[in-house]
Amino acid sequence: MSDGNLVSAYVEDAERDLEVSVRPKRLDEFIAQDRVRDQLDLLLKGAMRRGSPPDHILLSGPPGLGKTSLANIVAAELGSGIRVTSGPAIERSGDLAAILTSLAEGDVLFIDEIHRIARPAEELLYSAMEDFRVDVVVGKGPGATAIPLDVEPFTLVGATTRSGLLTGPMRDRFGFVAHLDFYSPADLETLLHRSARILGVPITDDGAAEIAGRSRGTPRIANRLLRRVRDFAEVRADGVVTLETARAALRVYDVDALGLDRLDRAVLTALVDSFRGGPVGLSTLAVAVGEQPDTVEEVCEPFLVRAGLLARTPRGRVATEAAWHHLGRNPPNGTFGSSTPPVPDLFSVEPDQP
């Protein structure tokens, strides 16, 4: 994991095993998302009492909030096996047919980024979800023959970060649809204490609160920052994650008080210093910070917009007044006036407020 991706909500291959170690295994271990957790509990217990697989489940929401964890929890609560794949990995309908016909009765099939599944495979999935049957076409042209194959009753768990890209027929076949929301700082503190116990990291309440406040409401980022702060604490401190240790460590990794990293601040600085706050087009802004447009749009902008630091307008990207203030600048129209007090160093170790 490079420093530039430290606060990215997307997972990298190198940290998948680390994530598994701190993932909750049961529904009662899953922190926050109370509404979704209660609804899933009812769905799964009702299905187990009837002795039949539960309805197909669609989980939507930004990356890093626990969709994969919930899919594994569904299988664990049902006491069944789970097969894991992703939409981009299913390029042909035959690939999906091979997976479906290998499922045992009651198994869970988890398809991550299901909105990216190929259209022929999606159409094959319709009959599998409704009738537990797939038609495999053998041959080409007039001599092609459709061979019906039965599929054992199963539960499909689909996860998507862009539910708007799902087709109507696909969405309608899910009996349970849930949206995961960003975590509150208090929920992230609870999560960090749990992860610290699993990893064997001594952590104080203030240390957990400091990391939680810079984690963008995302458990994946919180756990990633915890591992980096742990490294700092073990090498340059006494091994305990305290408020001062967390602040010093995150200063080293260029994660400021709002959870912005180097690239986030570069985008805001370019908007404010080079373009007087905008508006400016995405491509121009990407060139100014030396990144690809899709990196700026998909990695940086979602949080900057949610934090109220950047606005997307028909004319281009615009830095908000909060962005000017965050960078310690006065907006060009003088809204704050020359008497605006200086903004403190975001990486400084500040004393606790009374």
Side-chain angles (χ1 to χ4, degrees):
M1 174 63 59
S2 63
D3 291 351
N5 291 326
L6 196 61
V7 290
S8 169
Y10 293 93
V11 65
E12 290 191 358
D13 293 337
E15 63 176 351
R16 290 187 185 277
D17 292 341
L18 295 172
E19 274 202 342
V20 171
S21 64
V22 295
R23 278 179 179 166
K25 304 299 188 294
R26 290 287 179 175
L27 208 53
D28 57 3
E29 298 175 5
F30 196 87
I31 295 171
Q33 310 294 346
D34 296 338
R35 177 179 53 83
V36 173
R37 192 175 66 241
D38 290 344
Q39 292 173 350
L40 266 179
D41 184 58
L42 290 172
L43 176 72
L44 299 178
K45 287 182 177 178
M48 287 188 288
R49 289 189 178 185
R50 293 188 298 271
S52 60
D55 288 341
H56 302 298
I57 300 168
L58 177 65
L59 304 173
S60 66
L65 298 187
K67 297 184 291 297
T68 300
S69 296
L70 280 176
N72 284 280
I73 286 173
V74 167
E77 294 287 348
L78 294 174
S80 59
I82 182 171
R83 289 289 302 273
V84 179
T85 186
S86 65
I90 304 175
E91 299 179 351
R92 297 180 298 272
S93 58
D95 299 335
L96 181 60
I99 295 174
L100 290 170
T101 54
S102 67
L103 295 175
E105 182 177 357
D107 275 359
V108 172
L109 173 61
F110 174 55
I111 303 181
D112 198 10
E113 296 300 313
I114 195 171
H115 63 270
R116 297 176 61 186
I117 193 171
R119 182 55 61 87
E122 178 180 324
E123 293 175 351
L124 181 74
L125 195 55
Y126 294 162
S127 59
M129 294 173 69
E130 285 190 332
D131 305 322
F132 301 114
R133 179 180 61 85
V134 294
D135 294 323
V136 178
V137 178
V138 178
K140 296 181 180 180
T145 304
I147 302 177
L149 297 175
D150 290 333
V151 176
E152 295 290 348
F154 71 100
T155 297
L156 172 65
V157 179
T160 177
T161 56
R162 305 182 68 179
S163 58
L165 297 182
L166 282 174
T167 62
M170 171 62 78
R171 181 190 294 272
D172 292 343
R173 283 170 169 78
F174 286 99
F176 176 80
V177 179
H179 180 81
L180 274 63
D181 298 317
F182 287 102
Y183 284 51
S184 68
D187 289 333
L188 286 177
E189 288 179 44
T190 303
L191 181 143
L192 284 166
H193 279 293
R194 176 183 179 275
S195 297
R197 288 195 301 271
I198 294 173
L199 297 174
V201 180
I203 188 171
T204 65
D205 292 341
D206 288 342
E210 186 68 17
I211 297 174
R214 305 189 188 203
S215 298
R216 304 186 181 216
T218 306
R220 176 173 293 152
I221 296 175
N223 284 323
R224 187 183 296 148
L225 293 181
L226 174 63
R227 295 195 298 270
R228 299 290 72 78
V229 174
R230 173 192 62 181
D231 295 340
F232 182 94
E234 291 176 350
V235 174
R236 299 187 182 179
D238 59 359
V240 180
V241 177
T242 63
L243 173 64
E244 293 75 15
T245 302
R247 283 178 173 172
L250 295 175
R251 187 187 310 121
V252 170
Y253 288 106
D254 282 338
V255 179
D256 71 18
L258 289 184
L260 274 60
D261 67 356
R262 177 201 59 80
L263 183 56
D264 297 320
R265 290 192 301 277
V267 169
L268 293 182
T269 302
L271 268 174
V272 168
D273 291 346
S274 301
F275 303 104
R276 302 285 292 173
V280 60
L282 174 62
S283 298
T284 303
L285 184 59
V287 170
V289 298
E291 287 287 349
Q292 295 296 319
D294 57 348
T295 300
V296 174
E297 184 176 25
E298 297 176 11
V299 176
C300 296
E301 287 189 349
F303 179 71
L304 294 178
V305 171
R306 185 163 61 89
L309 301 172
L310 180 144
R312 290 173 172 173
T313 72
R315 297 178 58 197
R317 274 57 176 175
V318 176
T320 65
E321 291 184 355
W324 287 81
H325 186 75
H326 186 71
L327 296 175
R329 318 279 207 277
N330 285 328
N333 59 9
T335 300
F336 293 107
S338 57
S339 61
T340 303
V343 177
D345 179 7
L346 294 169
F347 297 104
S348 63
V349 179
E350 300 172 359
D352 293 340
Q353 297 297 322

